[in-house]
C-alpha cells in the first residue's frame, strides 16, 4: 500500500501535464496537430514507411533535406500508429505531449533523487517543469518533437547515473540505452548531456585516479571511471547505430543570424527570467547546502559520490555547454541561441526545486500547512503563466497551427484524384504552389511537407513542386518576381529538379489553398476542375467530377483525445517499465521507477524500431505493431532474474 500511495502523485502530475498540453486542442478546436515542424515529421514518417528509416535520404524532389540520423519520431509514429490502427495525424498530436510528460516526470525524479525528497515533492517539480516556458517553447510554435523525444530519456539517464552505485553494470547499461535512444531522436541534445557527463567525470578524475593508483578500487568503480564509461559507451553505440545501421552522417543546417536573432528576441520574454532566476537560485542554494553538508563523508570515500554534489556537477556541465552555444551566437557565429536556451532543462528543474524548498522552509519555521500553501501558490502561478504563454500569447502572436486543415483537405482530394484516374505510383506528379509572403523560402517547403503528409509513401519520391503561376508552367519557364528578395532563388531551386521532366508532360495539379491563381485558372478552364478545389493543369480527366476526400485529423472530442493520449503514454510506460526493473539502480524508489518508465519506453521502442527496420522489416502493419509489444515483453523477460533474486527488497522504503 505505501508504494501504491507513492505512485499517486506521479500519476497526478502526468495527468496534469498531459492535460495541459492536449487541452489546447479542445479550447481552440484545432483539427490538425500543431507545430511548424509537424508536417515534416509526418512526411518523413510516410517516406520511412516505404523506404525504411535509412532510405529516406534517397528522396530526390526538393525540399530533399531530411533528418536521416534522427529516426526517433518516425520509429515511434510508425510503430504506434500501426499498433493502434490510427492515422499518423492522431499520433502526431499525442506523441509530443507524451514526450513532454516523460521529460517532466524524469526531471521531477532528478530533483527527488538528488535531494532525497518524497513523491509529492517530485510530483511538484515535475508539474513545475511540465508547464515551464522551456517545455512550452519546445512544444510551440515549431513543436520540436525531436528535442522532446531526446530530452526525456537523456534526463532519465542522468537520474540513473545519479542513483547508481559503481560498478553497477546494469545501471551503466541502462544509462547508455537511454542516451543512445535520445541521440537517435536528436543528436545535438544527446551531445550536450553526454558532454555534461564527461565534464563531470573530469571533475572527479583526480580523486578517482588517486584511489585507483592506491589500488583501493577498480577503475570502473571510481566516479570518473564510471561516468567516463557511460559517456564513451553511449558515444560508441550511437556512432555504430548512425553510421552502421543507418549509414548516414549527422545533418548540419545553416540558418542566417538575422533569423536566429529574431527567434531569440521573440523567445526571451516567454521565459520571464527576472522572476524565474531568483527562484532557481533558491533551488540551487538548497543543492549547494546539501552538497556542503555531505562534503566530509565524500572526502572520506573517493570511490563514492554524494548525490547533491553529483547533481550539481551534472547540472553545471549541462548549463556550461548550453552557455557556450549561446556565447557563440553573441560572438557573431550563426549559433541557434534560442534553441540552446530551450534545451536548458536544468533551469526549470531548479525553479521547481526552488518552489519546493521555499515551501519546506516556510513549513519548518511556521506551520506545515503554510509550507504546502506556498508550494500550491507557486505552482498555480506557474500554471497561470504557462497558460498565458501556451494558450494565448503563442497562438495570437506567432501561431501554432501550421498544418492548415484546408490544405490537408485539398491534398487528400488530389491524392484521391490520382488514384481514381490510375496515375501510377512511380509517375512524376507536379503541384503548382505559390507564396508571395515575406518568407517563401520557408513557407513553400512547409506546403510541400503538408502535401507529402497525405500522399502515399510511394508517391512522395515522385511528387514535385512548381513555384509560381500555372501559365508560366505551361510555357515551360520558371516564375520570377521582383519581390520578395528570396522569391527567385527559391523558385529556381524547385525548377532545377523539375525541368528535366517537362518533356514527358507529367500530371500537374493546381489546388485552391496552395495557390491564389486557382480562382483565375478555374474561371478560364472550368472543364479542368475535377474535384472541389482541385484543377488539372495537365493530365487526364475523370469521367465525372469527384467529391472531397476524407481528411485525416487530430483526435476529435475530449474522449478520443483522452483515449489516444492515454494509450500513447501508457504504451511507452509499459515498454519501458520492464527494462527499468531490469536495469535501473536498486536505490530507486517505486514511484521513481514508474516515473522514469515512459522515458525508457521512448528509448527502447526507438532502438527496437531501428533494429527491426535494419533487418528489412518495415515499421508498418503487423511488423510495426509488434515492435513496442516485443520491446515491452523483452524488458519484462530481462527483469525476471532480478525480480526472483531481489523480490520485494528491490525497492527501498518510500
Amino acid at each position: 500500500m505505501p508504494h501504491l500511495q507513492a505512485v499517486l502523485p506521479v500519476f497526478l502530475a502526468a495527468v496534469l501535464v498531459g492535460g495541459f498540453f492536449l487541452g489546447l486542442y479542445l479550447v481552440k478546436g484545432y483539427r490538425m496537430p500543431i507545430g511548424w515542424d509537424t508536417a515534416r515529421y509526418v512526411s518523413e514518417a510516410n517516406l520511412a514507411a516505404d523506404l525504411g528509416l535509412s532510405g529516406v535520404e534517397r528522396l530526390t524532389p526538393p525540399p530533399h533535406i531530411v533528418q536521416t540520423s534522427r529516426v526517433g519520431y518516425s520509429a515511434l509514429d510508425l510503430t504506434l500508429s500501426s499498433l493502434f490502427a490510427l492515422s499518423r495525424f492522431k499520433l502526431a498530436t499525442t506523441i509530443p505531449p507524451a514526450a513532454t510528460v516523460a521529460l517532466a516526470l524524469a526531471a521531477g525524479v532528478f530533483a527527488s533523487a538528488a535531494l532525497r525528497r518524497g513523491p509529492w515533492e517530485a510530483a511538484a517539480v515535475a508539474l513545475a517543469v511540465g508547464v515551464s516556458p522551456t517545455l512550452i517553447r519546445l512544444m510551440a510554435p515549431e513543436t520540436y518533437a525531436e528535442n522532446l523525444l531526446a530530452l526525456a530519456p537523456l534526463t532519465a539517464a542522468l537520474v540513473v547515473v545519479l542513483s547508481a552505485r559503481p560498478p553497477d553494470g546494469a545501471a551503466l547499461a541502462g544509462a547508455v540505452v537511454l542516451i543512445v535512444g535520445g541521440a537517435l531522436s536528436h543528436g545535438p541534445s544527446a551531445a550536450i548531456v553526454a558532454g555534461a557527463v564527461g565534464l563531470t567525470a573530469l571533475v572527479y578524475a583526480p580523486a578517482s585516479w588517486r584511489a585507483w593508483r592506491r589500488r583501493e578500487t577498480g577503475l570502473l568503480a571510481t566516479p570518473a571511471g564510471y561516468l567516463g564509461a557511460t559517456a564513451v559507451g553511449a558515444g560508441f553505440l550511437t556512432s555504430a547505430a548512425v553510421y552502421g545501421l543507418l549509414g548516414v552522417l549527422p545533418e548540419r543546417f545553416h540558418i542566417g543570424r538575422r533569423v536566429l536573432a529574431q527567434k531569440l528576441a521573440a523567445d526571451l520574454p516567454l521565459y520571464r527570467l527576472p522572476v524565474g532566476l531568483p527562484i532557481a537560485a533558491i533551488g540551487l542554494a538548497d543543492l549547494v547546502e546539501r552538497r556542503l553538508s555531505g562534503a566530509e563523508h565524500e572526502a572520506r570515500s573517493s570511490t563514492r559520490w554524494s548525490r547533491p554534489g553529483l547533481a550539481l556537477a551534472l547540472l553545471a556541465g549541462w548549463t556550461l555547454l548550453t552557455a557556450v552555444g549561446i556565447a557563440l551566437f553573441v560572438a557573431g557565429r550563426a549559433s541557434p541561441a534560442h534553441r540552446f536556451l530551450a534545451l536548458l532543462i536544468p533551469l526549470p528543474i531548479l525553479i521547481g526545486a526552488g518552489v519546493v524548498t521555499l515551501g519546506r522552509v516556510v513549513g519548518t519555521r511556521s506551520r506545515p500547512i503554510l509550507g504546502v500553501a506556498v508550494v500550491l501558490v507557486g505552482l498555480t502561478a506557474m500554471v497561470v503563466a504557462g497558460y498565458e504563454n501556451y494558450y494565448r500569447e503563442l497562438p495570437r502572436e506567432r501561431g501554432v497551427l501550421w498544418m492548415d486543415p484546408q490544405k490537408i483537405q485539398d491534398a487528400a482530394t488530389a491524392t484521391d484524384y490520382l488514384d481514381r484516374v490510375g496515375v501510377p505510383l512511380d509517375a512524376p506528379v507536379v503541384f503548382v504552389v505559390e507564396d508571395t509572403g515575406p518568407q517563401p523560402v520557408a513557407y513553400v517547403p512547409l506546403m510541400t511537407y503538408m502535401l507529402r503528409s497525405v500522399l502515399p509513401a510511394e508517391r512522395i519520391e515522385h511528387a514535385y513542386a512548381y513555384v509560381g503561376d500555372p501559365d508560366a508552367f505551361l510555357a515551360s519557364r520558371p516564375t520570377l518576381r521582383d519581390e520578395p528578395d528570396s522569391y527567385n532563388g527559391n523558385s529556381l531551386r524547385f525548377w532545377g529538379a523539375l525541368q528535366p521532366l517537362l518533356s514527358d508532360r507529367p500530371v500537374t495539379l493546381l489546388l485552391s489553398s496552395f495557390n491564389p491563381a486557382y480562382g483565375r485558372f478555374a474561371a478560364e478552364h472550368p472543364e479542368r476542375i475535377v474535384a472541389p478545389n482541385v484543377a488539372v493543369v495537365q493530365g487526364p480527366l475523370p469521367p465525372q467530377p469527384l467529391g472531397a476526400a476524407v481528411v485525416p485529423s487530430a483526435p476529435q472530442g475530449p474522449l478520443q483525445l483522452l483515449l489516444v493520449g492515454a494509450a500513447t503514454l501508457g504504451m511507452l510506460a509499459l515498454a519501458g517499465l520492464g527494462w527499468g526493473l531490469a536495469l535501473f539502480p536498486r536505490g530507486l524508489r517505486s514511484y521513481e521507477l514508474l516515473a522514469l518508465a515512459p522515458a525508457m519506453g521512448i528509448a527502447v521502442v526507438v532502438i527496437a524500431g531501428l533494429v527491426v527496420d535494419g533487418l528489412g522489416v518495415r515499421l508498418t502493419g503487423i511488423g510495426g505493431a509488434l515492435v513496442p509489444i516485443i520491446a515491452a515483453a523483452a524488458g519484462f523477460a530481462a527483469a525476471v532474474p532480478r525480480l526472483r533474486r531481489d523480490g520485494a527488497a528491490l525497492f527501498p522504503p518510500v
Side-chain angles (χ1 to χ4, degrees):
M1 184 62 70
H3 291 294
L4 186 61
Q5 292 175 344
V7 165
L8 178 61
V10 170
F11 177 78
L12 181 61
V15 170
L16 291 175
V17 174
F20 176 83
F21 285 102
L22 287 177
L24 183 72
Y25 290 90
L26 298 178
V27 172
K28 301 292 186 179
Y30 291 154
R31 294 167 46 205
M32 293 292 153
I34 66 170
W36 178 280
D37 290 355
T38 302
R40 177 176 61 81
Y41 296 144
V42 177
S43 67
E44 287 185 11
N46 281 353
L47 270 173
D50 178 47
L51 302 177
L53 295 175
S54 62
V56 296
E57 65 172 345
R58 300 203 304 265
L59 180 65
T60 299
H64 53 263
I65 297 177
V66 290
Q67 310 277 19
T68 50
S69 69
R70 304 178 186 179
V71 299
Y73 181 87
S74 292
L76 285 171
D77 195 347
L78 291 173
T79 56
L80 294 180
S81 62
S82 298
L83 176 64
F84 301 138
L86 294 171
S87 81
R88 289 169 201 143
F89 280 68
K90 286 182 170 50
L91 270 300
T93 304
T94 58
I95 285 176
T100 304
V101 172
L103 172 54
L105 293 179
V109 173
F110 183 91
S112 169
L115 299 170
R116 209 58 184 171
R117 296 281 172 79
W120 283 105
E121 290 162 309
V125 174
L127 179 59
V129 174
V131 300
S132 68
T134 302
L135 267 65
I136 289 172
R137 182 59 188 89
L138 289 171
M139 181 65 71
E142 287 91 349
T143 301
Y144 293 132
E146 292 168 337
N147 295 95
L148 290 167
L149 291 172
L151 289 169
L154 291 171
T155 305
L158 296 189
V159 177
V160 173
V161 168
L162 189 66
S163 306
R165 298 179 179 180
D168 186 344
L172 192 153
V176 168
V177 166
L178 285 163
I179 295 175
V180 172
L184 291 174
S185 290
H186 193 258
S189 297
I192 291 175
V193 174
V197 174
L199 289 175
T200 305
L202 293 178
V203 171
Y204 285 89
S208 297
W209 174 257
R210 290 192 296 268
W212 181 68
R213 287 292 302 271
R214 291 194 298 262
R215 301 182 184 277
E216 295 177 2
T217 185
L219 184 61
L220 194 61
T222 65
Y226 196 78
L227 293 167
T230 301
V232 172
F236 175 79
L237 290 179
T238 299
S239 298
V242 173
Y243 301 124
L245 289 176
L246 292 173
V248 299
L249 296 174
E251 298 79 19
R252 297 182 64 185
F253 299 98
H254 175 76
I255 301 176
R257 270 185 54 83
R258 186 179 69 173
V259 175
L260 294 174
Q262 291 171 346
K263 287 178 176 289
L264 181 61
D267 285 359
L268 278 174
L270 296 174
Y271 291 94
R272 295 178 169 85
L273 293 178
V275 176
L277 288 178
I279 300 174
I282 297 174
L284 179 62
D286 190 17
L287 261 180
V288 171
E289 190 277 329
R290 286 173 175 267
R291 163 69 178 85
L292 293 176
S293 64
E296 182 180 351
H297 167 75
E298 188 174 356
R300 292 197 302 265
S301 176
S302 58
T303 62
R304 299 289 289 275
W305 52 56
S306 73
R307 288 191 179 188
L310 179 59
L312 273 173
L314 290 170
L315 294 179
W318 190 333
T319 303
L320 176 62
L321 292 174
T322 304
V324 169
I326 297 173
L328 288 173
F329 173 81
V330 175
R333 302 288 297 274
S335 175
H338 71 288
R339 186 75 74 96
F340 278 106
L341 187 59
L343 296 178
L344 189 56
I345 303 302
L347 178 60
I349 290 178
L350 290 174
I351 290 174
V355 171
V356 171
T357 297
L358 190 59
R360 289 175 67 90
V361 170
V362 171
T364 301
R365 294 181 177 178
S366 54
R367 295 182 179 180
I369 190 64
L370 293 179
V372 173
V374 167
V375 174
L376 290 177
V377 169
L379 292 177
T380 301
M382 294 188 70
V383 170
V384 171
Y387 181 89
E388 179 66 26
N389 279 348
Y390 185 58
Y391 282 76
R392 293 183 177 176
E393 184 171 347
L394 285 172
R396 180 181 65 245
E397 301 296 332
R398 301 171 67 177
V400 299
L401 186 66
W402 294 101
M403 294 274 278
D404 184 343
Q406 189 57 56
K407 286 183 172 61
I408 300 301
Q409 173 71 76
D410 292 351
T413 303
T415 300
D416 187 38
Y417 155 79
L418 295 171
D419 293 338
R420 295 285 190 93
V421 299
V423 177
L425 291 173
D426 59 354
V429 176
V430 180
F431 294 89
V432 182
V433 303
E434 178 68 296
D435 177 54
T436 56
Q439 290 289 336
V441 70
Y443 194 67
V444 169
L446 176 61
M447 288 195 289
T448 306
Y449 292 135
M450 282 190 265
L451 284 166
R452 291 175 179 174
S453 70
V454 293
L455 286 173
E458 299 86 349
R459 285 204 190 278
I460 294 177
E461 301 173 73
H462 312 284
Y464 293 79
Y466 172 86
V467 181
D469 187 80
D471 293 333
F473 171 82
L474 291 173
S476 298
R477 56 179 174 81
T479 298
L480 302 176
R481 303 187 189 281
D482 294 333
E483 294 182 350
D485 294 340
S486 61
Y487 185 93
N488 290 347
N490 187 60
S491 174
L492 293 173
R493 179 163 69 105
F494 285 84
W495 171 256
L498 174 63
Q499 189 177 12
L501 306 175
L502 296 182
S503 60
D504 295 330
R505 297 183 57 81
V507 173
T508 304
L509 301 179
L510 181 65
L511 312 183
S512 174
S513 59
F514 286 81
N515 198 319
Y518 177 87
R520 174 181 55 80
F521 184 88
E524 295 174 355
H525 308 280
E527 75 284 357
R528 309 300 293 179
I529 301 174
V530 296
N533 300 318
V534 177
V536 176
V537 177
Q538 186 171 266
L541 302 178
Q544 57 187 13
L546 307 176
V550 176
V551 182
S553 69
Q556 298 299 296
L559 180 59
Q560 192 178 90
L561 198 64
L562 172 64
L563 291 177
V564 180
T568 303
L569 182 62
M571 188 65 242
L572 293 175
L574 187 64
L577 183 58
W579 289 106
L581 288 167
L583 300 178
F584 286 168
R586 183 171 176 171
L588 282 180
R589 291 163 285 186
S590 54
Y591 72 88
E592 293 174 324
L593 171 71
L594 183 62
L596 295 179
M600 176 59 93
I602 291 172
V604 297
V605 172
V606 169
I607 293 172
L610 177 60
V611 172
V612 169
D613 183 84
L615 295 174
V617 179
R618 294 293 174 257
L619 301 182
T620 55
I622 188 65
L626 287 175
V627 167
I629 295 175
I630 292 174
F636 285 108
V640 168
R642 194 177 191 187
L643 290 171
R644 287 177 175 174
R645 182 179 67 248
D646 297 333
L650 183 62
F651 302 112
V654 177

